[in-house]
């Protein structure tokens, strides 16, 4: 029997196909190889995900060709993809697609070739002949330029010498120059001037943490270290020195940061220490840059990868360390199939490859801290800022009493906050004003009756966009005008129109309150252009902006010494999400935001405006007391058997007919029940908090069990045996984070 390859092809989901490996390709076909195979009447590309001596099928077709000189998917990455597919109940194709960036996967993906012009000896000689200078002044100018540069891109030459490629070709024919093509790396860090940095002498608490990480790199006991350090405690310096340790041992490293924190500022800190041994992988790079960076990593030219979620799958050789910064961040979870959490997959990659993993954060997720408490992870704590500056004072402002004083009208800013703002401006200090997520915060709420305008298709509030004076639904894109009075028939208040509190509205009010201050806004609307995010932050850093208004974008990992006042306009927004993690999110957000204040010489101050000042998460945030928060939150989770005391799997069914979706969900649960062991808790089907999106109704079923597999193995069987109506789609989200 000829050997057989199990191949997944790019055009058919959820199935493996067997192909015969012809003798001529015996050596070339390996696990992870990209191959071309006949499929139906045409050829397609696929990946070899298994090898076998024989097949259960007969009359196999042969693999036509192997693409590339070695497997595109390294064996350890393929193993990880398999685990993702199994654990997250996702098709293996989705997992494979996730571990290979599309610029690498695409047919025809290759290095960019650029034409260079190099002078020949004859060029030098020619210029010494005065005759040429006189009779061929233009040519002489071109040659001068080439000689001055030594070597120049053809395109640059034609621009600078105001000539054409044809003229240069002529010079080549006459033997003055040579035009050569060579691969040019598109390096995203190329145009940055970074001053190199040396390792800092560590503070005792940092040294202790680094020692623990090095021990973990040696013994893998424990294999995962939770690095819990307040903002400004010097976690990044520890990462840098731990990476240096890996490099010294000939090993590479991966650093994951949330997409939103992957600013040039962050990248610069790493490239300042490690130079071109750094590769950057994230979605805002050009296709070419991503292709080239990936290959630099695979070829061992770059030893350290820094990037968002998917950088975890970089083919780093001799991996020695994985760091996940801001491990609590929900953006590590991919909200489409495969719905993996990069933090958790990082721990799995570490486990499979016997590599130490560091999870760093100022506000550990309940899951990670619980693992540390029960000894599964090591714990290194940095309780103080490096400079021993005091944490800012956090003041809770009760907006109910503000409303009472204002005759029922709720002001955007409490009086105390406004006073504090003037105070800081007088002292030439900077201010950040912070609003939660835009989809929720820019809805128009009637200040009298609390009425909110919802999208009729999506059951979320519509958001107000000042520029077009329109309401938009961010789920389905619907738009409508703003009513002149409150639509609630019992209210009809004309103040309605002006009541919305979004970043734009806050900006407007701030400009009125502080007419002499320079105000800028940073949210998804003002940062759509590439680089605009960084531009605003640079202006702010240089002191060109006094007050920065923004969404959580401005809360992440930024360091502005002159910011002494931070205002949270409405802390309740995240608290009132229909999600058992709402308290955790609120605590994390407030702590992050508070961490922005007072990183310089002046003591910082934080105002948190809320309608629920006695809420435990808000109180714990006021005291900046993670332990207090953790202790009360973990009890709540234990009582209700929420994660980390269970694994949560969320099934969402969607379709255009609500009765059919509901009926299908009920029937699925009925069939599922009989397969479930007693330790699994299965909810009744219920409309999702986001009950309708893009015209489709959404129902959810929540399952909780002691392990993910205890839930997913019976679920997988039930889903496969189920007769799905054509109009009802379903998704399975293992370890779901967003329960919308
Ligand atoms: P974190 O990542 O925990 O928020 P950073 O690593 O950004 O903290 O450190 C905060 C500031 O302290 C940075 O400006 C950093 O350069 C500085 N820093 C860190 N470690 C030291 C040290 N050992 N000595 C002096 N300065 C340090
Ligand atoms: Zn909508």
């Amino acid at each position: 029997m000829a050997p057989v390859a199990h191949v997944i092809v790019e055009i058919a989901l959820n199935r493996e196909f067997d192909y015969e490996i012809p003798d001529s390709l015996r050596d070339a076909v390996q696990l992870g190889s990209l191959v071309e195979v006949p499929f139906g009447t045409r050829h397609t590309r696929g990946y070899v995900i298994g090898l076998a001596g024989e097949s259960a099928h007969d009359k196999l077709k042969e693999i036509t060709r192997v693409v590339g000189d070695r497997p595109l998917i390294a064996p350890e990455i393929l193993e990880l993809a398999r685990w993702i597919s199994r654990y997250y109940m996702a098709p293996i194709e989705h997992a494979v697609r996730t571990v290979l960036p599309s610029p690498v996967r695409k047919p025809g993906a290759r290095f960019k070739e650029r034409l260079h012009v190099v002078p020949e000896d004859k060029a030098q000689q020619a210029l010494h002949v005065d005759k040429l200078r006189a009779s061929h002044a233009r040519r002489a100018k071109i040659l001068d330029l080439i000689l001055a540069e030594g070597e120049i891109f053809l395109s640059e030459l034609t621009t600078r010498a105001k000539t054409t490629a044809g003229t240069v070709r002529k010079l080549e024919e006459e033997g003055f120059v040579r035009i050569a093509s060579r691969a040019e790396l598109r390096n995203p860090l190329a145009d940055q001037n970074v001053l190199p940095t040396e390792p800092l002498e560590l503070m005792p608490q940092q040294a202790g943490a680094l020692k623990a990480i090095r021990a973990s790199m040696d013994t893998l006991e424990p294999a995962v270290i939770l690095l819990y350090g307040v903002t400004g405690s010097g976690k990044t310096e520890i990462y840098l020195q731990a990476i240096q340790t890996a490099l010294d041992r000939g090993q590479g490293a991966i650093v994951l940061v949330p997409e939103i924190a992957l600013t040039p500022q962050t990248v610069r800190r790493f490239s300042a220490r490690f130079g071109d041994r750094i590769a950057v992988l994230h979605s805002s790079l050009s296709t070419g840059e991503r292709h080239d960076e990936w290959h630099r990593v695979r070829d061992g030219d770059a030893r350290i990868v820094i990037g968002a979620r998917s950088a975890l799958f970089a083919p780093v050789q001799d991996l020695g360390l994985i760091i996940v910064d801001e491990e609590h961040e929900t953006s590590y979870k991919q909200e489409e199939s495969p719905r993996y959490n990069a933090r958790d997959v990082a721990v799995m990659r570490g486990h499979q490859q016997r590599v130490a993993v560091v999870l760093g954060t100022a506000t550990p997720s309940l899951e990670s801290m619980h693992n540390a408490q029960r000894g599964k992870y090591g714990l290194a704590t940095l309780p103080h800022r490096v400079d021993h500056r005091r944490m800012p004072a956090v003041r809770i402002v009760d907006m109910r009493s503000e409303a009472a004083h204002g005759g029922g009208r709720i002001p955007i800013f409490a009086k105390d906050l406004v006073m504090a703002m003037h105070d800081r401006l007088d002292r030439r200090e900077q201010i950040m004003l912070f609003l939660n997520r835009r989809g929720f915060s820019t809805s128009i709420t009637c200040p009298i009756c609390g009425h909110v305008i919802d999208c009729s298709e999506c059951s979320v509030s519509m958001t107000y966009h000042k520029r077009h004076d329109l309401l938009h639904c961010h789920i389905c894109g619907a738009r409508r005008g703003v009513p002149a009075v409150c639509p609630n028939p019992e209210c009809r208040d004309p103040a309605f129109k002006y009541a919305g509190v979004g970043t734009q509205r806050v900006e407007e009010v701030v400009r009125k309150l502080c007419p002499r201050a320079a105000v800028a806004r940073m949210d998804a609307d003002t940062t759509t252009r590439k680089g605009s995010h960084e531009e605003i932050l640079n202006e702010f850093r240089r002191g060109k902006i006094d007050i920065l208004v923004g969404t959580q974008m401005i809360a992440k990992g930024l360091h502005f010494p002159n910011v002494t006042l931070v205002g949270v306009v409405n802390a309740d927004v995240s608290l009132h999400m229909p999600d058992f993690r709402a308290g955790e999110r609120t605590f994390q957000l407030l702590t992050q935001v508070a961490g922005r204040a007072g990183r310089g010489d002046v003591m910082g101050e934080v105002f948190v405006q809320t309608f629920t000042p006695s809420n435990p998460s808000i109180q714990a945030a006021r005291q900046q007391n993670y332990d207090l928060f953790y202790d009360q939150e973990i009890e709540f989770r234990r009582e209700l058997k929420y994660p980390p005391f269970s694994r949560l799997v969320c099934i969402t069914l969607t379709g255009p007919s609500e009765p059919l979706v509901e009926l299908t969900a009920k029937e699925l649960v009925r069939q599922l029940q009989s397969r479930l062991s007693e330790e699994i808790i299965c909810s009744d089907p219920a409309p999702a908090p986001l009950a309708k999106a893009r015209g489709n109704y959404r129902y959810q079923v929540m399952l909780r069990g002691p392990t993910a597999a205890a839930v997913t193995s019976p679920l997988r069987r039930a889903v496969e045996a189920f007769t799905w109506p054509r109009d009802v789609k379903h998704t399975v989200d293992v370890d779901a984070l967003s329960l919308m």
Side-chain angles (χ1 to χ4, degrees), residues 388-410:
H388 281 273
R389 280 187 191 119
R390 278 196 291 153
M391 299 300 274
V394 178
R395 300 182 47 186
I396 306 292
V397 184
D398 185 349
M399 292 306 277
R400 291 171 310 187
S401 58
E402 290 288 323
H405 292 311
R409 292 275 156 100
I410 304 157

Side-chain angles (χ1 to χ4, degrees), residues 39-195:
F39 192 82
T41 56
R42 55 181 181 137
H43 271 76
T44 183
R45 291 154 66 105
Y47 299 93
V48 176
I49 62 161
L51 295 168
E54 54 190 290
S55 169
H57 311 275
D58 44 67
K59 296 220 196 86
L60 295 186
K61 291 179 182 167
E62 284 188 352
I63 290 178
T64 320
R65 181 168 93 82
V66 178
V67 184
D69 56 358
R70 59 189 146 146
L72 206 55
I73 315 174
E76 67 273 15
I77 304 294
L78 187 60
E79 194 185 341
L80 201 57
R82 279 183 205 285
W83 181 83
I84 288 174
S85 160
R86 222 173 25 244
Y87 184 90
Y88 291 104
M89 277 185 73
I92 182 77
E93 293 80 357
H94 286 176
V96 163
R97 219 174 282 172
T98 301
V99 301
L100 279 182
S102 63
V104 172
R105 243 177 359 204
K106 274 197 324 210
R110 58 183 131 75
F111 292 100
K112 187 175 170 190
E113 300 274 326
R114 269 183 89 175
L115 297 176
H116 292 242
V117 184
V118 199
E120 298 280 23
D121 293 345
K122 212 175 147 188
Q124 188 77 50
Q125 296 152 11
L127 283 178
H128 289 298
V129 182
D130 286 343
K131 215 171 66 194
L132 178 95
R133 288 216 176 268
S135 60
H136 292 94
R138 282 192 57 79
R139 289 179 138 205
K141 223 179 110 197
I142 298 170
L143 290 178
D144 270 337
L145 191 62
I146 298 169
L147 281 165
E149 294 287 327
E151 168 182 330
I152 188 168
F153 286 132
L154 178 60
S155 55
E156 192 186 334
L157 176 66
T158 51
T159 319
R160 280 175 56 187
K162 296 201 182 57
T163 182
T164 62
T167 308
V168 185
R169 293 251 178 237
K170 255 213 196 92
L171 285 172
E172 186 186 28
E173 277 162 30
E174 291 165 20
F176 290 106
V177 300
R178 188 160 39 86
I179 300 178
S181 159
R182 73 177 146 78
E184 181 220 354
L185 284 182
R186 290 150 287 193
N187 180 353
L189 300 176
D191 50 1
Q192 289 191 11
N193 274 322
V194 188
L195 293 177

Side-chain angles (χ1 to χ4, degrees), residues 455-458 460 473-478 694:
C455 171
S456 57
E457 294 297 304
C458 301
V460 292
C473 170
H474 278 284
I475 303 289
C476 74
R694 296 187 184 86

